[in-house]
Amino acid sequence: MCDQTFLAITFGPCDNCSQNKPLMNIYLKNEPINYCSLCVELMACQGLAKGETIHTLKAESETLKTKLEEERAKLHDVELHQVAEKIEALGQFVMKTRRTLKGHGNKVLCVDWCRDKRRIVSSSQDGKVIVWDAYTTNKEHAVTMPCTWVMACAYAPSGCAVACGGLDNKCSVYPLSLDKNENLAAKKKSVAMHTNYLSSCSFTNSDMQILTSSGDGTCALWDVESGQLLQSFHGHSADVLSLNLAPSETGNTFVSGGCDKKANVWDMRSGQNVQSFETHESDINSVKYYPSGDAFATGSDDATCRLYDLRADREVAIYSKESIIFGASSVDFSLSGRLLFAGYNDYTINVWDVLKGTRVAILFGHENRVSTVRVSPDGTAFCSGSWDNTLRIWA
Amino acid sequence: MTINTLSQDGVQRQQMPCLTKMERMIISMQDPDMGIKLRNQRLLITVIPHAMTGLDIVEWLIKKCSISDEEALHVGQLFVKYGYIYPLKEPRNLILKADDSSYRFQTPYYWMSTRWPASELDYAIYLAKKNIRKQGELIEYEKECYNALHKRINHTWDFVVMQAREQLRASKQRRKGDRIVLECQEQAYWLVNRPPVSPEHYKLTTLTKNTIAITYCAVKYNQIFFLSCLFFLARNRVKSSICLESYVKYCEQYQPHDPIMQGCLPSNPWITDDIMFWNMNSETVALPTKLRVERWSFSFMELLNDQMGRKEFLTYLEKEFSAENLCFWQACEDVRHGETAKIPEKVDEVYKQFLAPGASRWVNIDSKTMEKTLEGLKRPHRFVLDDAQMHIYFLMKKDSYPRYLKSELYKNLLARAIVPQETKKSVFPFMRRQRHSSPSPALATQTAEDDGKAKYSNSNSGTASRL
């Protein structure tokens, strides 16, 4: 693992408000300054300087973007599939549905695995969030949310709680009780508040913090106990649809993808956007880190999945095929990172060889859009959720 | 966010890339040289020109995209579903059959991308035409739609009927073959856009993703982006060849550990219904598997992420009298990821145990970092221990960890570690093993909370439903 994944962060008095906070490193008139995220935002909101118009501002941004692409191209000396030529191709690939979980009354929108490798939580359009023991296919808990379209759900690392949210613009945490008579909804804790729908949520390394992304274009980090907003992340110009935490040693960054076709990498402490990639031709529906943390994959409505390297700072592979016409809604890597599982809106799941860039298998079975694909924590299987109201475990 | 009841804009935005791709393929299908061979098809007593069989379509797709039969059928089916190809014999059955059933290409005028949205007025005129042309030609759901429309747009009904009559009269002047083709095209269009059951691409209540117009401020966004760009440009980049090689190495190293790629011993629980694999790799097992112990040598993070590995490492550090490093690191993690309210007291504990002069488990940090940390402790916050934590982390990673891997403790464990036997395949392959349930993780904390009340569910039954 390369040490470049570490971000040196300054913590100290902001040059503007003098408060002790994690500082963003930005340049003003080519001079580096240290502002906290709040002051950066305020400065940005101050409007245009004298002589500036929105057009000049946009033009400046465009020149910078072009310059950035030129810089990125300079160190690009080889393509991934060239490097992968010496590797053996993968043989025949057979994966079957091993379990089908039926019980949702409407489209399944999101799925997450528990760290015990066999339980999952799933959420659906009908407002129900169900915790299953996927191995026995038993339902263990069910929560009825006060809203429909529960687009996000996550299992807490301890396995004792689940977080979910959707059209209610909130993220709520429900502790899982084993008392049959207890109404889980009674102990619910409202954690996050956004101004638009919640698209994705994830616990950080503990049960105490939650990272959320929303249709209001922002991501946010919350303290579960108090519901306090710890950090917000601004930089997307449209709905943010997905986020994923980096499996890095210091656990300080995450990547988000949105309807503005951008994938942004953020520092969780300062709120700074540290890297940005814009090569997709349509909305990015899903982002997922490569297991080593040095790259991430995206799935988009333009029917392609792409791999971006964080150290090379560029897109390094595109996974597409002429016969794949519909968008990819969800992606995930196998444990070694050699395989990329992608669920598509044409009801299929395609399995890609990450290194060679070829498609290894196509899995049929769902009778409607595949909305979510997640590999289990120990890599023994993956779970797919679909608009056909079912979940399938494949191995 | 809006769940629009007539989410034309939103759906169109989502659909457009797909429709463009489909149309490109359709056009190449109709290419005179490389496309599908079209022929005349006899339908009852009339001859329909430019028709093809379902098999033609599937075979063309197989050749063009290098895919299997199953996939070609699946892709072809999409074209029929979205109205780019329509069946001649059974027009109401929008299915592609890989046999000699006849199909035709829909005229671009009726393509989904060009004719969106299909208005109520147009539909009313179409149904009226059908009704006038031949009484009783409307089927059940069409009759219902017709009556509903009659009620809804009653004020323009005269116009509807007049238009219908005009169009019928104009069509009578065409050649029979042309007339039938046009009727087929129109019918196919309406079957796709007004089916008996609303298709998902047309569903009225669809979730739409909106480009937020209200809260998004162009100036602010561009300012922030501009500032970020300067930061992006200043980044140190690494050559692609180095980065890409690392993936090859990573995949190679982890392949034996990837159950989907290489299987797992004794067997994959999802496939054989045998949970030995999970039991043998649990946190509290007496002797770990060889693969597991080997994995600790891949990176320091792998060792720390495994509870058993962490314990083993702690034992080793205790022998070396540097166990306080790992304990300090763990305490810092607890501060970083714990409750905000408890941070001051936790930081204080850490100071007392690890950083104070003469502390019982004093950690050896360089003076500069120590000074900075102690200064920061005056106003404790979540990240105040970050620098010190990182210093100790690197100390362990660069020094203790490599020595641990060379130590007797590790080597012994590796030698004793188990390589599980592959589960023999069942004599009766179709007989399913009983699937045992496992205690819920939520149970662990609950029993810790209820002092003496043992609430153990029967962990060997097949059903433990709490709904």
Side-chain angles (χ1 to χ4, degrees):
Chain A
M1 178 124 76
C2 179
D3 287 318
Q4 275 238 349
T5 49
F6 291 111
L7 285 165
I9 183 190
T10 349
F11 193 98
C14 165
D15 284 350
N16 193 40
C17 64
S18 312
Q19 283 185 45
N20 269 326
K21 282 183 167 181
L23 301 173
M24 286 191 174
N25 311 110
I26 55 172
Y27 291 78
L28 213 56
K29 297 185 194 7
N30 291 326
E31 286 297 313
I33 59 168
N34 293 318
Y35 268 30
C36 70
S37 56
L38 205 61
C39 291
V40 169
E41 233 191 288
L42 284 172
M43 179 172 61
C45 286
Q46 264 156 34
L48 303 163
K50 201 169 159 187
E52 250 184 355
T53 63
I54 184 72
H55 298 287
T56 55
L57 197 56
K58 270 197 179 159
E60 277 174 9
S61 297
E62 286 302 314
T63 11
L64 280 182
K65 253 199 246 180
T66 326
K67 199 156 168 227
L68 187 60
E69 287 311 311
E70 281 168 16
E71 288 295 312
R72 281 173 167 170
K74 279 185 187 161
L75 288 175
H76 188 59
D77 50 350
V78 73
E79 296 291 330
L80 182 54
H81 63 87
Q82 291 172 295
V83 171
E85 260 161 27
K86 59 186 180 214
I87 314 173
E88 260 181 59
L90 295 171
Q92 253 295 344
F93 210 76
V94 176
M95 282 195 92
K96 295 196 200 139
T97 304
R98 304 290 172 176
R99 304 282 193 278
T100 308
L101 305 175
K102 297 192 186 151
H104 275 295
N106 213 321
K107 313 182 175 78
V108 176
L109 301 173
C110 186
V111 140
D112 192 19
W113 286 88
C114 175
R115 284 193 184 176
D116 78 346
K117 305 153 195 170
R118 48 189 283 174
R119 283 177 171 76
I120 56 174
V121 61
S122 61
S123 65
S124 145
Q125 187 198 341
D126 63 0
K128 285 248 173 33
V129 175
I130 301 180
V131 175
W132 316 70
D133 177 349
Y135 182 71
T136 56
T137 72
N138 291 333
K139 300 185 197 53
E140 293 194 341
H141 305 268
V143 177
T144 309
M145 293 278 287
C147 66
T148 58
W149 287 92
V150 187
M151 283 167 269
C153 64
Y155 223 120
S158 67
C160 301
V162 292
C164 47
L167 283 195
D168 56 351
N169 300 356
K170 292 196 266 210
C171 184
S172 314
V173 177
Y174 293 84
L176 294 176
S177 160
L178 293 171
D179 187 342
K180 217 188 294 187
N181 299 316
E182 188 157 10
N183 179 14
L184 284 182
K187 281 214 174 134
K188 138 178 153 178
K189 213 180 287 180
S190 246
V191 175
M193 281 287 289
H194 279 280
T195 54
N196 212 322
Y197 66 91
L198 193 84
S199 55
S200 178
C201 66
S202 172
F203 282 90
T204 61
N205 279 343
S206 77
D207 285 16
M208 298 291 130
Q209 288 173 296
I210 286 194
L211 195 55
T212 57
S213 68
S214 162
D216 65 10
T218 67
C219 300
L221 182 65
W222 310 83
D223 178 72
V224 173
E225 268 313 300
S226 60
Q228 189 195 3
L229 171 68
L230 298 173
Q231 183 63 257
S232 69
F233 306 90
H234 297 262
H236 279 287
S237 58
D239 311 24
V240 185
L241 296 177
S242 173
L243 58 82
N244 188 229
L245 280 148
S248 83
E249 290 178 280
T250 50
N252 285 329
T253 58
F254 73 94
V255 64
S256 67
C259 289
D260 57 355
K261 311 176 199 167
K262 283 198 176 156
N264 289 335
V265 181
W266 309 86
D267 179 314
M268 275 206 279
R269 295 166 298 179
S270 64
Q272 181 158 18
N273 178 2
V274 292
Q275 274 176 288
S276 183
F277 303 91
E278 192 178 350
T279 60
H280 269 292
E281 293 159 17
S282 188
D283 303 355
I284 296 179
N285 294 317
S286 173
V287 288
K288 205 80 214 289
Y289 269 95
Y290 182 79
S292 73
D294 294 328
F296 66 90
T298 55
S300 158
D301 272 348
D302 64 4
T304 67
C305 298
R306 294 174 198 234
L307 188 68
Y308 297 90
D309 186 300
L310 295 170
R311 294 168 303 168
D313 192 34
R314 56 174 294 118
E315 171 194 291
V316 290
I318 306 182
Y319 307 102
S320 69
K321 211 164 157 38
E322 211 178 342
S323 57
I324 298 176
I325 298 170
F326 282 76
S329 58
S330 182
V331 295
D332 203 353
F333 285 98
S334 73
L335 191 138
S336 63
R338 181 69 189 271
L339 300 171
L340 181 70
F341 301 102
Y344 289 79
N345 292 339
D346 66 354
Y347 314 177
T348 64
I349 298 168
N350 285 288
V351 185
W352 299 90
D353 180 334
V354 171
L355 302 177
K356 288 199 179 276
T358 54
R359 190 199 47 198
V360 173
I362 177 170
L363 305 173
F364 296 97
H366 277 295
E367 290 158 17
N368 207 321
R369 264 191 216 207
V370 178
S371 53
T372 174
V373 165
R374 290 287 194 119
V375 174
S376 77
D378 61 355
T380 47
F382 76 88
C383 177
S384 62
S386 159
W387 281 20
D388 67 3
N389 307 0
T390 67
L391 295 124
R392 282 170 184 246
I393 310 281
W394 305 77
Chain B
M1 208 274 315
T2 48
I3 300 186
N4 286 325
T5 42
L6 279 175
S7 53
Q8 290 142 5
D9 240 45
V11 180
Q12 188 162 32
R13 221 180 122 260
Q14 265 176 284
Q15 293 292 316
M16 281 323 270
C18 316
L19 298 180
T20 323
K21 276 212 183 74
M22 282 208 272
E23 283 160 17
R24 236 184 293 150
M25 249 207 199
I26 284 284
I27 291 172
S28 60
M29 270 191 204
Q30 296 179 63
D31 181 87
D33 302 313
M34 302 299 293
I36 304 182
K37 292 280 168 278
L38 303 174
R39 40 183 107 88
N40 291 341
Q41 171 66 41
R42 182 158 232 111
L43 193 68
L44 297 175
I45 46 168
T46 339
V47 173
I48 311 271
H50 306 135
M52 58 203 159
T53 66
L55 195 59
D56 286 338
I57 300 172
V58 172
E59 279 176 359
W60 186 90
L61 284 169
I62 292 177
K63 220 170 98 191
K64 179 81 163 42
C65 310
S66 319
I67 51 183
S68 66
D69 294 34
E70 197 181 4
E71 195 180 352
L73 191 61
H74 168 81
V75 175
Q77 178 60 47
L78 291 171
F79 289 118
V80 178
K81 190 169 142 213
Y82 283 80
Y84 289 98
I85 293 176
Y86 60 91
L88 286 174
K89 265 251 180 73
E90 288 170 58
R92 297 192 188 281
N93 207 7
L94 293 177
I95 294 196
L96 179 69
K97 292 195 216 145
D99 52 20
D100 60 357
S101 322
S102 303
Y103 295 85
R104 276 188 106 249
F105 289 109
Q106 178 64 286
T107 172
Y109 177 69
Y110 281 128
W111 281 358
M112 228 189 207
S113 52
T114 47
R115 280 284 286 170
W116 194 269
S119 79
E120 285 198 317
L121 198 61
D122 292 326
Y123 192 41
I125 295 173
Y126 166 70
L127 289 175
K129 269 201 295 190
K130 268 189 122 173
N131 209 18
I132 296 171
R133 192 164 47 223
K134 193 170 168 190
Q135 281 292 346
E137 181 141 321
L138 295 176
I139 60 173
E140 221 19 76
Y141 87 94
E142 277 175 343
K143 275 201 208 120
E144 283 170 25
C145 289
Y146 187 66
N147 294 331
L149 281 167
H150 187 83
K151 247 190 251 166
R152 209 162 39 237
I153 54 171
N154 204 308
H155 50 284
T156 59
W157 204 252
D158 290 337
F159 175 71
V160 169
V161 176
M162 182 198 72
Q163 273 295 298
R165 289 218 169 92
E166 274 301 309
Q167 288 184 16
L168 279 173
R169 199 170 52 79
S171 74
K172 279 208 176 73
Q173 295 174 350
R174 295 198 189 95
R175 265 199 352 244
K176 185 156 188 206
D178 290 345
R179 192 178 352 130
I180 293 190
V181 163
L182 286 166
E183 274 169 20
C184 282
Q185 287 171 344
E186 195 185 19
Q187 180 179 246
Y189 174 74
W190 288 112
L191 281 168
V192 170
N193 285 285
R194 289 282 194 276
V197 178
S198 188
E200 47 107 337
H201 67 259
Y202 168 74
K203 262 201 166 55
L204 285 178
T205 47
T206 315
L207 191 70
T208 63
K209 295 178 283 186
N210 267 326
T211 306
I212 40 165
I214 306 162
T215 53
Y216 158 52
C217 167
V219 173
K220 171 175 159 186
Y221 168 73
N222 276 290
Q223 297 271 30
I224 293 185
F225 183 71
F226 183 77
L227 294 169
S228 307
C229 255
L230 293 168
F231 181 75
F232 300 155
L233 276 168
R235 186 180 185 79
N236 280 329
R237 286 174 198 87
V238 179
K239 267 207 292 204
S240 287
S241 45
I242 299 175
C243 304
L244 302 177
E245 268 303 321
S246 73
Y247 300 152
V248 176
K249 284 206 186 76
Y250 188 91
C251 288
E252 219 174 83
Q253 187 177 47
Y254 278 85
Q255 185 158 320
H257 300 256
D258 188 341
I260 293 179
M261 289 279 295
Q262 211 159 287
C264 55
L265 297 172
S267 67
N268 188 323
W270 300 100
I271 301 178
T272 58
D273 286 350
D274 172 28
I275 58 172
M276 275 293 273
F277 177 71
W278 287 331
N279 289 341
M280 293 180 105
N281 284 298
S282 74
E283 281 184 14
T284 51
V285 77
L287 210 55
T289 61
K290 219 182 199 77
L291 274 181
R292 184 178 182 179
V293 181
E294 269 171 17
R295 204 163 154 180
W296 299 344
S297 68
F298 291 175
S299 73
F300 190 35
M301 196 170 80
E302 285 287 353
L303 178 66
L304 290 182
N305 279 344
D306 187 345
Q307 288 293 54
M308 184 182 266
R310 214 187 266 206
K311 251 189 247 160
E312 287 289 311
F313 188 56
L314 188 65
T315 316
Y316 173 74
L317 289 178
E318 272 163 6
K319 289 211 173 100
E320 300 235 311
F321 304 107
S322 52
E324 68 275 358
N325 287 341
L326 187 58
C327 298
F328 175 68
W329 181 83
Q330 274 179 189
C332 291
E333 282 288 285
D334 195 34
V335 169
R336 261 192 344 143
H337 297 291
E339 274 177 61
T340 312
K342 296 212 176 118
I343 289 178
E345 69 178 77
K346 281 187 185 166
V347 170
D348 197 46
E349 261 304 305
V350 169
Y351 172 72
K352 283 205 199 98
Q353 271 201 24
F354 299 100
L355 297 171
S360 57
R361 303 164 102 183
W362 192 78
V363 283
N364 196 357
I365 313 175
D366 68 284
S367 51
K368 198 167 145 219
T369 315
M370 180 66 94
E371 216 182 285
K372 196 167 165 212
T373 309
L374 292 177
E375 186 58 41
L377 287 182
K378 296 191 183 146
R379 274 180 294 268
H381 56 85
R382 189 174 294 273
F383 309 113
V384 70
L385 298 168
D386 268 16
D387 284 339
Q389 182 184 12
M390 199 167 294
H391 179 93
I392 294 292
Y393 179 83
F394 275 112
L395 193 66
M396 290 193 288
K397 177 176 172 179
K398 297 257 154 74
D399 184 35
S400 314
Y401 172 62
R403 280 190 290 118
Y404 167 66
L405 292 179
K406 296 199 190 97
S407 71
E408 282 308 307
L409 191 66
Y410 178 73
K411 289 204 177 120
N412 270 335
L413 189 59
L414 189 59
R416 283 184 301 137
I418 314 171
V419 177
Q421 284 269 16
E422 188 175 356
T423 307
K424 289 200 185 70
K425 285 213 161 68
S426 164
V427 179
F428 305 100
F430 297 110
M431 206 168 81
R432 213 183 66 181
R433 282 206 177 91
Q434 194 189 22
R435 294 171 183 167
H436 299 288
S437 57
S438 72
S440 165
L443 178 68
T445 36
Q446 188 137 58
T447 48
E449 283 170 12
D450 316 327
D451 285 307
K453 275 192 274 180
K455 257 196 202 177
Y456 286 105
S457 60
N458 27 345
S459 46
N460 268 327
S461 68
T463 51
S465 190
R466 287 178 196 83
L467 293 182

